[in-house]
Amino acid sequence: MADTKEMNYEEPGVTVDVVIFTISEDRLNVLLVKRNEEPFRGRWALPGGFLLQGESLEGAVKRIVDQKAGLKASYFEQLYTFGQPDRDPRSRVITVAYFALVPWTRLPEPVSPKVAGVEWTPTVYLPELAFDHNRIVFYAVERLRAKIAYSSIAVGLLPTMFRLSDLQRLYEIILGRELDKRNFRKKMHATGLLEETGQREIIGAHRPAMLYRFKEKKVVNID
Amino acid sequence: MADTKEMNYEEPGVTVDVVIFTISEDRLNVLLVKRNEEPFRGRWALPGGFLLQGESLEGAVKRIVDQKAGLKASYFEQLYTFGQPDRDPRSRVITVAYFALVPWTRLPEPVSPKVAGVEWTPTVYLPELAFDHNRIVFYAVERLRAKIAYSSIAVGLLPTMFRLSDLQRLYEIILGRELDKRNFRKKMHATGLLEETGQREIIGAHRPAMLYRFKEKKVVNID
DNA sequence: CCAAAAGTGTTATTGATACACCCATGC
DNA sequence: GCATGGGTGTATCAATAACACTTTTGG
């Protein structure tokens, strides 16, 4: 029993890990970073880090998203706190997991950012991650799926103006099933959260689509 | 990502606080303990404590519920993690809040336990608590209210056998509004989670009620 | 005029709500 | 026989699901 954990009565470390989602290439993607240090050197992991002096949890999330991903999330919320004693093989670390949303239009690069060791990965092709991060991503996808049904969380994944077909595709990607166009549009209009911008899409050899925006920029619970 | 800790990272303390609910006297009640130490000496607070070496978060919850309340919760789940830098005036402490359910039949004493400095308090008459504990209780009540609508979380607050009118009163207390008897019973039967025990209530100058039990002892999401 | 996506209503089914009386028992 | 809670069904309304064709544009 001569490991560090037992010898000095250290308090558990506290980290914040963030599941950053974006929709791109008709897939739900998560941002992963390649670890340079032990444990799990060379493995992919969620962006995260230790909580700093006097820093709030939300502050840490913003810092991590900015540092690791070089962008600003348009929405984030706390997911769950994971504290199994053996989740970090070296020392006791509990992690407060968050998930964050970024519209694809804010990404520095279309799919893969140029920063070495940082990559957007489709959730359906997730590799084996460091620590218990697969479980965290799983949780996050579940939460996202649940919330899209009864809230306007989609705001966080869309640019300020979008076509209804964009919105519908977003729902379909997250829910993993096709939706009926007429019912979908009826329901979206019924929420009262959308408004026409008056502008129309410019490109395409087809009838131009009306561009919409969300009235509230904040995520709102429906019904 | 849990990097190896470095010197310049602060080690925040990690506590677990538990909102323990029971239904009694037609009220939703929370267990509070009176603080003997600074800060907030003499104030009521949620039962809680620091995470011990090698102890899981769930282990800590069980320990706290057992030590402080002298009972076993029939259900608990993680609520939220509160980490504002100033939430503890002395040092940095982040707390992982849980809520727990106990059926009134398991209480050592009908309403107030005899342990000094521990008291069941109706959520509607909550005093000003230590730290950010009022906020935590508020969150917990919200969660309980939300979950009772779409899960069988009520299992945790009822004895193994109960009348349908007990179940309905429980829903009414938590939701804070009256429910229609016929619709309520229809809906409960429709979940398929209840079964008749064959036994009937023994007391009362009225038609004896059928006693029911939950088929699953675990909390289950409905629909 | 062809391809491609935009846009639009009606019907059927399901679930939610509103509502009032008879039943079995103890005293 | 009366007070007390137990127990039951139907009709209306709202929400959801299924389903197909016309419109506007670019090339």
Side-chain angles (χ1 to χ4, degrees), chain A residues 17 35 37 50 81 92, chain B residues 1 3 55 78 81 92:
Chain A
D17 288 314
R35 287 182 62 77
E37 313 91 18
F50 283 91
T81 298
R92 186 71 196 275
Chain B
M1 179 173 67
D3 291 301
E55 185 182 47
Q78 192 181 299
T81 297
R92 185 72 196 274

Side-chain angles (χ1 to χ4, degrees), chain A residues 5 9 14 17 35 37-38 46 48-55 68 78 80-81 85 88 90 92 94 133, chain B residues 1-5 9-10 12-14 51-58 78 80-81 83-85 92 94:
Chain A
K5 180 166 58 177
Y9 272 102
V14 178
D17 288 314
R35 287 182 62 77
E37 313 91 18
E38 294 298 339
L46 292 172
F50 283 91
L51 195 60
L52 301 182
Q53 290 271 341
E55 185 183 46
K68 299 290 174 81
Q78 192 180 299
Y80 199 80
T81 298
D88 188 316
R90 307 191 133 187
R92 186 71 196 275
I94 77 160
H133 288 186
Chain B
M1 179 173 67
D3 291 301
T4 323
K5 277 179 286 182
Y9 288 122
E10 179 187 22
V14 178
L51 194 60
L52 302 181
Q53 290 276 332
E55 185 182 47
S56 69
L57 295 168
E58 289 75 19
Q78 192 181 299
Y80 199 80
T81 297
Q84 281 306 109
R92 185 72 196 274
I94 77 159

